Amino acid sequence: MSQRYSRPLQGGDDVDQPTGGKPLPTYTTCWIAAVLLAVQLAGFSTLALIPGASTAVAQTGSGLVSEVVVQGAQRIDPATVRSYMLIQAGDTLDENRLDRSLKALFATGLFADVTIRRQGDALVVAVVENPIINRIAFEGNNRIEDSELEAEVQLRPRLVFTRTRVQQDVQRIVEIYRRSGRYSVVVEPKVIQQPQNRVDLIFEIEEGTLTPVRTIAFLGNQKYSDSTLRGVIQTKEYAFYRFLTTNDTYDPDRLSFDRELLRRFYLRTGYADFQVLSAVAELAPDRESFVVTFTIEEGEVYEFGESQFEIGLPRLTDEDLRPLVLTEPGERYDSTLVDDTVDAITDKLGTLGYAFVDVRPQINRDRENQRIDLVYQIGEASKIFVERIDIEGNVRTLDRVIRREMQLVEGDAFNTARLRRSERRIRNLGFFKKVSVQNTEGSSPDTTKVTVEVEEQSTGEISFGVGYSTVDAVIGDVGIRERNLLGRGQDLRFSVSGSTRSTKFDIAFTEPYFLGRDVSAGFDLFRIERNQRESSFDELRVGAVLRAGYELAPDINQTINYRLEQTEIKDIEDDASRFIRDQAGTTLVSQFGQTLTYDKRDNRLDPRDGYIGRLTTEIAGAGGDERFFRLSMRGAYYYPINETWGLSFLGQLGSITGLGENVSIGERFFIGANTIRGFERSGIGPRDINTGDALGGNQYYVGTIELAFPSGLPEDLGVKTFLFSDAGSLFNVDDNGTEVRDVSSVRVSMGFGVAVSTGLGQVRVDAGQAVAKEDFDKTELIRFSFGTRF
């Protein structure tokens, strides 16, 4: 007796029923069972039917399989089908092996249906191949590009089509839209049959509308209000001005992050037992928005107790580590101070050569006294040496450009301070979007492998700028720059800028490692024409600068330069001061200079912490027409009060002395406007009282204190606010007469500023009021600037 094997029953399939689809009566079922039992007792082999099988085709034959015949295979070689069979020609027919063979064929995903039947002594395997995908298309997707959806789905043209894979890709597309806040998205896959068993797969997408978060509520908060906690989390309530962000749309991943943000906030403020019991997002009754509810348990406020050490390293004592502890007994508990202490201890041990030391803070709660004692456990470790430095991710930039910024080389004792400095130096190159410098265990216990992983970014720039300020009116510039020329780290720049008051042409080239040494060298060629209307003349400067720079010590850089410049004072107004008319003509300056910089800022572009100092000296007289010595000093200190408040102190001073002759007006100092807000450009300093012309000065100083604080507006708007006070003076002009007012009294201004970052650039408004000034100074109340680059 022979049986037929077909595919397993699929969800939604109908089971064939005899007698017109009606169930068999009980007595009929029993009769069939009796017949089957009799057949088995008679010695015939019977194979179990799989639900959904068609009617069996009865054939006679022996128990051996003479051959395996494959039917229905078009793309797939019959030998491939046979390779999945556990029964081959010459084998004895076995129902268990047949069942496993059937499952193995279905598991390949190549077949939509498989039937195995006995035909005489042959075993016939009839297959229906799954179609091949001809193309994949997306319809209805306006918010998300095809390229983004194609990158997410797993199916591809020329792959085998299966319904399971299609449904999985549907879910992936739905998840993409839900992450962007569109929870009403509907994705419908359509299959279009093509010749040669191919199909086109079309994902029809109804994107739906954004599903915003209408309400964010908190339960269990006693200490902090709902509004305070809403400011802590990243998810925001819907507001019309948040159209540039998606923070006001529901995202489950963002909600998980919000739980962590709440935990960090409470742990920073002393609530060591804080818990987020639940974070639930529910659709509103209109099913068009979400209501998010956080249920929290604040617990009690703790304070720090005693801090102790358990040290497993030789020749290391508590006294060595005690200065690194930032927690003080009696102060409110703050988890960030514990983390910072662990980082400080780890860094300290890293400078001693212990790369993989384990520092763990053990927290001992005294719930009765609401105090937390800490034990910093320092495990055993051995000193580590750098075995190898690998550089990964650089496609265009040469390895040596990155390697020369490393403060460690193979064979050096490991040092975390040098490792961090190396990462900062590589990041400061500006060639890479991401920089990661990590160390992992080497081939032996006392070695480590340093891996520098970078992600390159575009270093070529074609920029167009436009702006407006109350100082220069309309401003525009065009620039072409390559900061990583040919991947060698060289910098080539050409720029043209102009405003209603000035024009500038500039070409600059810098080789960061001149002649293979840690010395940067370069040159500048420039032409600057400027209208000095405050002094009733125009000036034209044409010249060149040769420069070289090198590092004297970590964070200390020295730059030397030579400047050859021709300055022409021209177009002097008829009613200009006689002190300016006397300056008419052309002079040549041949000048040597140096600049010493000590920079410990956390970020060069937007510093919030650290300080910088710069000393510049210049001397002219080796040829040319000018003889002078000039000294300039600048410094800044940045102090972050907390994450949103910050103080900055800035100071600068300068002095120029003629060597046997007066200093020309083209080399003097002019301050005001950008230097001391509340005053016009060149609004401070010596002035001809008859004409009102600014004459510049030989000495000046300026100091600024600025407090940055939250504006109270949503962070999404990008508004920064600050209070400031500027103070300074400019004085001492050569060859002054009775008609020149030249005093060294200090001028002071105070004011308020607002800066707004927009998609078209930054808008900044400073309102400064001069509170200490001379009657001949020129003041202004509002200074406005706007600019952008494309």
Side-chain angles (χ1 to χ4, degrees), residues 138 141 144-153 156 176:
F138 304 92
N141 53 311
I144 299 179
E145 298 291 336
D146 285 4
S147 58
E148 186 175 348
L149 296 175
E150 288 170 356
E152 187 69 21
V153 299
R156 295 286 185 273
I176 292 176

Side-chain angles (χ1 to χ4, degrees), residues 718 720 754-758 760-766 784-787:
K720 298 180 180 179
V754 178
V756 183
S757 297
T758 70
L760 297 177
Q762 186 180 76
V763 178
R764 176 157 180 161
V765 180
D766 292 311
F784 170 83
S785 65
F786 163 74

Side-chain angles (χ1 to χ4, degrees), residues 319-394:
E319 288 71 21
D320 298 327
L321 302 179
R322 183 68 60 183
L324 304 176
V325 177
L326 303 177
T327 60
E328 294 290 339
E331 290 186 352
R332 177 175 287 199
Y333 175 77
D334 185 345
S335 62
T336 59
L337 294 179
V338 179
D339 294 338
D340 292 344
T341 299
V342 171
D343 291 342
I345 295 174
T346 303
D347 290 346
K348 172 68 174 179
L349 299 177
T351 60
L352 300 177
Y354 297 101
F356 302 111
V357 66
D358 187 16
V359 180
R360 296 185 180 182
Q362 178 180 323
I363 297 177
N364 300 319
R365 287 180 174 84
D366 183 350
R367 300 185 185 278
E368 182 179 350
N369 298 313
Q370 297 177 8
R371 188 180 66 182
I372 291 181
D373 296 325
L374 294 166
V375 178
Y376 294 95
Q377 299 174 332
I378 302 171
E380 297 181 356
S382 59
K383 288 196 174 183
I384 304 297
F385 297 87
V386 178
E387 176 185 14
R388 192 171 74 249
I389 298 176
D390 294 334
I391 300 175
E392 301 174 356
N394 55 314

Side-chain angles (χ1 to χ4, degrees), residues 559-574:
T559 302
I560 58 175
N561 63 75
Y562 171 74
R563 175 169 69 106
L564 184 65
E565 178 183 297
Q566 178 179 281
T567 303
E568 180 183 2
I569 305 298
K570 61 178 186 175
D571 297 335
I572 301 176
E573 297 179 8
D574 295 336

